[in-house]
Amino acid sequence: MKKGSLVVISGFSGVGKGTIMRQLIQDDTYQLSVSATTRNPREGEVNGKDYYFTSVSDFQKLIENDELIEWAEYVGNYYGTPKKYVFDQMEQGKDVLLEIEQVGALEVKKKFPETVMIYIIPPSAKALKERLMKRGSETKEEICKRLIQAKKEADFVRAYDYVVVNDDLEQAVQDVKDLIRMSHFRSSLFTEDMMEFKEEIQNL
């Protein structure tokens, strides 16, 4: 069984990352990594399914015990990716999806160079603001902070391998699937196969 890919999906707050992820995991090829966070749950979010909601002190213990692949502070809250779950799923051949912010994403890429990095962007800045307002989960002040953060993040999108525009949801989901599938054919993943191939040639 081939090992699954580690896939980081990031994007501006309100761009529709969560919706894309929910569409992807309807296919059992993909497994969503559940992140730990200190932020309060939004309406409808379930602990252990959407996030592991935890206190700041418990989150700090995860850091101290080296139980996170990455962690970062974003708009006043902490987010992190538990190690064991991710690695177990990859060994089972699953493509593990991490929905994390830029700081954490770059940390993962540094530790694990084979990570597939995908950034989701909106069709326009106006569309992003409209989506944030429509979501209705933040105050005007919080929306303003997220738009300022998006402006800062725009400078770092080039650090990602691929960019997908979420204008049409169905197309965006298909684009992400295609990019993940392409990652399975990277030459670095076939080193052992090539060694076996060379040995077989010698025995012909």
Side-chain angles (χ1 to χ4, degrees):
M1 179 183 294
K2 291 292 183 183
K3 188 176 180 180
S5 292
L6 180 58
V7 183
V8 164
I9 297 181
S10 305
F12 305 127
S13 180
V15 78
K17 300 184 299 294
T19 303
I20 290 174
M21 299 293 260
R22 286 191 290 274
Q23 292 289 320
L24 288 170
I25 61 175
Q26 290 181 15
D27 183 338
D28 62 9
T29 301
Y30 310 106
Q31 184 63 50
L32 178 63
S33 174
V34 180
S35 296
T37 183
T38 59
R39 78 160 170 77
N40 293 324
R42 299 191 183 111
E43 185 178 351
E45 289 183 329
V46 179
N47 186 42
K49 180 181 179 182
D50 298 290
Y51 284 95
Y52 293 114
F53 296 101
T54 186
S55 66
V56 173
S57 61
D58 285 343
F59 193 95
Q60 289 173 339
K61 289 178 183 177
L62 293 175
I63 297 172
E64 292 169 3
N65 295 329
D66 194 28
E67 296 180 44
L68 301 173
I69 290 178
E70 56 74 36
W71 66 273
E73 185 273 336
Y74 181 77
V75 194
N77 292 300
Y78 291 97
Y79 296 82
T81 303
K83 275 184 180 179
K84 187 178 184 304
Y85 180 82
V86 170
F87 293 150
D88 286 349
Q89 294 298 315
M90 289 175 65
E91 288 297 330
Q92 294 175 30
K94 299 281 189 179
D95 292 320
V96 180
L97 311 176
L98 307 185
E99 182 187 345
I100 54 180
E101 308 303 332
Q102 281 188 350
V103 175
L106 297 178
E107 186 178 336
V108 172
K109 186 69 169 180
K110 184 178 180 180
K111 292 180 180 178
F112 308 100
E114 294 296 332
T115 302
V116 182
M117 303 273 283
I118 302 174
Y119 204 89
I120 311 297
I121 65 172
S124 67
K126 181 180 178 181
L128 180 64
K129 182 178 180 179
E130 289 174 349
R131 292 177 188 182
L132 284 169
M133 294 177 68
K134 186 176 181 181
R135 190 161 69 178
S137 57
E138 290 98 2
T139 64
K140 289 184 178 180
E141 183 180 354
E142 288 172 330
I143 290 174
C144 184
K145 286 182 180 179
R146 292 188 182 278
L147 290 173
I148 292 172
Q149 182 67 25
K151 182 179 178 180
K152 295 177 181 178
E153 291 177 1
D155 291 331
F156 296 94
V157 173
R158 65 174 67 90
Y160 284 69
D161 300 314
Y162 307 103
V163 172
V164 170
V165 179
N166 184 17
D167 189 4
D168 176 84
L169 176 61
E170 184 176 346
Q171 184 60 54
V173 171
Q174 187 59 53
D175 289 343
V176 172
K177 286 184 176 181
D178 290 344
L179 293 173
I180 295 173
R181 183 175 180 276
M182 285 171 55
S183 74
H184 295 165
F185 298 95
R186 291 172 296 183
S187 60
S188 59
L189 301 180
F190 288 87
T191 302
E192 292 184 7
D193 291 338
M194 289 300 97
M195 293 297 292
E196 292 179 5
F197 180 73
K198 287 170 65 177
E199 291 178 5
E200 288 176 1
I201 288 179
Q202 292 174 352
N203 294 326
L204 290 178

